[in-house]
Amino acid sequence: IEKGKSGDRFILAPVMKLISRDTVSVNPVEVKVKLSVILSVGDGLEGTRFATTTIQLEGKGSNEAKAYVEALRLLTPDNKEVTDMLSKGKAKIKEYYTKNCASVIKNAQELSEKEQYEMAILKLISIPDSCKDCAAKCMVAVEPVYPKYLNQQCVQRLASAKKISTGG
């Protein structure tokens, strides 16, 4: 997992590799593909991988695109390897918020002090529901930020309205 941009905290990253591609000379021609799909859950900002799984898929079709589609249709959310990997990733995400809840709130407060209210609110309300304690603390922390955000929006819209009404 590579480091990402702000907002990419937790990601599901797929990597697909073609293992083999065969053309069978039957009438009509048939293309067979074997793929290796690596799925990883991780922290997109830190570049830390929490859980990963590799799944082998095979598909066939009248052309290469159809063979890929058939193979990828076998990758379903109820696949045991996928659900196990997601469970491990979810546990690591909960662990992250358990350890870092105070710093998430502090970061949001710093954004609020810089009048970046929308970003501060986003950080505070994007805690997963499964992290109940941290989510509750963040909901309390968002209470003083939201009125400031509303006031900021009112000032901006009033300025826009005045500009329109004066023809400026």
Side-chain angles (χ1 to χ4, degrees):
I1 298 208
E2 296 180 20
K3 290 187 177 184
K5 62 185 183 305
S6 182
D8 293 338
R9 172 57 66 185
F10 300 108
I11 59 173
L12 173 63
V15 175
M16 186 170 64
K17 294 180 182 178
L18 178 63
I19 296 172
S20 68
R21 180 193 177 283
D22 300 311
T23 303
V24 180
S25 297
V26 294
N27 196 7
V29 173
E30 188 175 76
V31 178
K32 292 182 179 181
V33 294
K34 288 184 183 180
L35 308 172
S36 174
V37 178
I38 303 167
L39 295 172
S40 299
V41 172
D43 184 330
L45 292 179
E46 301 293 326
T48 305
R49 186 172 299 163
F50 293 154
T52 190
T53 189
T54 302
I55 301 170
Q56 305 296 320
L57 304 171
E58 294 183 23
K60 60 184 176 180
S62 58
N63 60 44
E64 191 169 349
K66 289 181 180 179
Y68 272 94
V69 169
E70 184 179 309
L72 291 172
R73 280 192 179 139
L74 300 173
L75 185 61
T76 61
D78 57 336
N79 180 301
K80 180 157 176 37
E81 292 94 348
V82 174
T83 56
D84 288 349
M85 186 242 349
L86 291 174
S87 291
K88 288 177 188 173
K90 183 178 176 181
K92 291 285 190 174
I93 291 169
K94 287 173 85 171
E95 182 181 314
Y96 170 86
Y97 282 113
T98 299
K99 288 182 180 177
N100 296 296
C101 192
S103 65
V104 169
I105 293 169
K106 184 176 186 237
N107 180 252
Q109 289 169 338
E110 290 168 354
L111 288 168
S112 179
E113 290 169 7
K114 296 176 187 173
E115 296 183 3
Q116 296 176 5
Y117 304 119
E118 196 168 351
M119 194 60 156
I121 292 168
L122 178 64
K123 284 195 178 295
L124 293 168
I125 65 170
S126 31
I127 310 302
D129 292 337
S130 60
C131 306
K132 291 181 181 9
D133 290 342
C134 185
K137 290 175 185 175
C138 287
M139 283 292 136
V140 170
V142 82
E143 289 175 13
V145 179
Y146 191 67
K148 294 175 184 177
Y149 168 71
L150 290 177
N151 287 338
Q152 181 187 56
Q153 292 299 303
C154 288
V155 168
Q156 288 173 354
R157 291 203 169 100
L158 182 60
S160 292
K162 285 180 180 178
K163 188 174 181 181
I164 291 169
S165 69
T166 60

